[in-house]
């Protein structure tokens, strides 16, 4: 995608890399840079929520079969399996890099803010809904005591402490504060001169 098309494109359809590029091209003072930063933060929080709800509970890194199984059993020519493995490895590295960026952003928040912003993601709103219903729960439904405790535990937070929300409004307010803080961090890091592939990860 050309730079001009990228800058004027639909931010909601852009990847994290494209959103980073929009901010680099426009600079930190442009209003659209802030819009791109908000879209980027939203995407990374969905990634963080997905990781906490699913991949955090899986023993990733332990393959179900030996990586050397079957060596020497091919037809002698390239079968395409190596290409598939390379594609998977490339995708995994990219996803892992984004997960690290998401972790880093959440790590800069208070526990209360982190809990709020993750509770307000679409990933959580879908995951907390009854399995037989294809819908997203509202923030009002999510703060119901029993559902809130269950969801916070799934996200890795201990119930009680600074993670309990007495109302949907207080949760949304804390989430808004958290997003504002992360947007400032993103704009600062993205617009620093960096030769790394992901300024958010390296800071």
């Amino acid at each position: 995608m050309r730079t001009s098309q990228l800058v004027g494109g639909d931010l909601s359809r852009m990847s994290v890399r494209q959103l980073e590029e929009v901010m680099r091209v426009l600079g930190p003072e442009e209003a659209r840079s802030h819009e791109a930063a908000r879209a980027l933060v939203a995407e990374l929080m969905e990634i963080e929520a997905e990781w906490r709800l699913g991949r955090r509970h899986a023993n990733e890194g332990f393959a179900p079969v030996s990586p050397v199984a079957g060596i020497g059993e091919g037809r002698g020519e390239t079968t395409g399996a190596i290409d598939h493995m390379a594609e998977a490895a490339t995708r995994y590295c990219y996803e892992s890099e984004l997960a690290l960026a998401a972790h880093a952003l959440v790590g800069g928040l208070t526990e209360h803010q982190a809990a709020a912003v993750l509770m307000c993601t679409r990933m959580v709103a879908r995951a907390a809904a009854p399995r037989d219903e294809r819908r997203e729960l509202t923030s009002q439904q999510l703060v119901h005591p029993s559902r809130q405790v269950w969801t916070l535990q799934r996200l890795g937070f201990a119930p009680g402490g600074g993670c309990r929300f007495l109302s949907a409004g207080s949760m949304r307010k804390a989430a808004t504060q958290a997003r504002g803080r992360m947007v400032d961090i993103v704009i600062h890091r993205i617009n620093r001169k960096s030769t790394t592939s992901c300024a958010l990860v390296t800071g």
Side-chain angles (χ1 to χ4, degrees), residues 68-203:
V68 296
I71 287 181
E73 297 178 4
R75 296 189 302 250
E77 71 273 9
T78 300
T79 62
I82 294 178
D83 291 337
H84 293 158
M85 290 176 65
E87 290 175 3
T90 299
R91 184 171 62 253
Y92 177 77
C93 287
Y94 176 71
E95 291 176 350
S96 297
E97 193 173 62
L98 294 183
L100 285 174
H103 298 342
L105 281 178
V106 171
L109 302 174
T110 66
E111 190 174 87
H112 186 74
Q113 289 176 330
V117 76
L118 291 173
M119 286 280 285
C120 289
T121 59
R122 295 189 64 187
M123 182 64 64
V124 167
R126 288 194 296 266
R131 292 186 177 182
D132 58 343
E133 297 183 24
R134 294 184 178 182
R135 63 187 177 99
E136 296 179 7
L137 296 184
T138 65
S139 57
Q140 187 65 49
Q141 291 170 318
L142 280 170
V143 296
H144 184 277
S146 60
R147 183 174 284 121
Q148 182 180 159
V149 169
W150 179 86
T151 305
L152 288 170
Q153 288 178 327
R154 284 293 310 277
L155 288 169
F157 298 101
C163 291
R164 294 300 299 274
F165 305 101
L166 299 179
S167 69
S170 65
M171 183 174 72
R172 290 193 297 266
K173 181 178 179 180
T176 297
Q177 292 173 340
R179 293 189 198 98
R181 183 172 181 176
M182 289 187 287
V183 165
D184 289 341
I185 292 172
V186 164
I187 291 175
H188 173 71
R189 290 185 180 179
I190 295 278
N191 287 283
R192 284 171 53 185
K193 290 183 179 180
S194 175
T195 57
T196 61
S197 59
C198 185
L200 286 174
V201 175
T202 62

Side-chain angles (χ1 to χ4, degrees), residues 5-68:
Q5 293 176 317
L6 188 64
V7 170
D10 184 353
L11 296 175
S12 66
R13 294 179 176 274
M14 293 185 189
S15 67
V16 170
R17 291 288 180 273
Q18 290 173 326
L19 292 168
E20 286 182 342
E21 185 62 22
V22 169
M23 285 181 275
R24 286 195 179 96
V25 171
L26 294 179
E29 303 304 323
E30 291 290 329
R32 189 162 172 79
S33 283
H34 288 258
E35 293 176 12
R38 286 192 289 272
L40 187 149
V41 165
E43 178 63 23
L44 289 179
M45 289 306 97
E46 294 293 339
I47 291 171
E48 177 71 8
E50 180 183 17
W51 182 83
R52 287 178 177 240
L53 291 171
R55 297 186 181 184
R56 183 174 67 89
H57 303 287
N59 291 321
E60 291 193 1
F62 295 90
V65 296
S66 169
V68 296

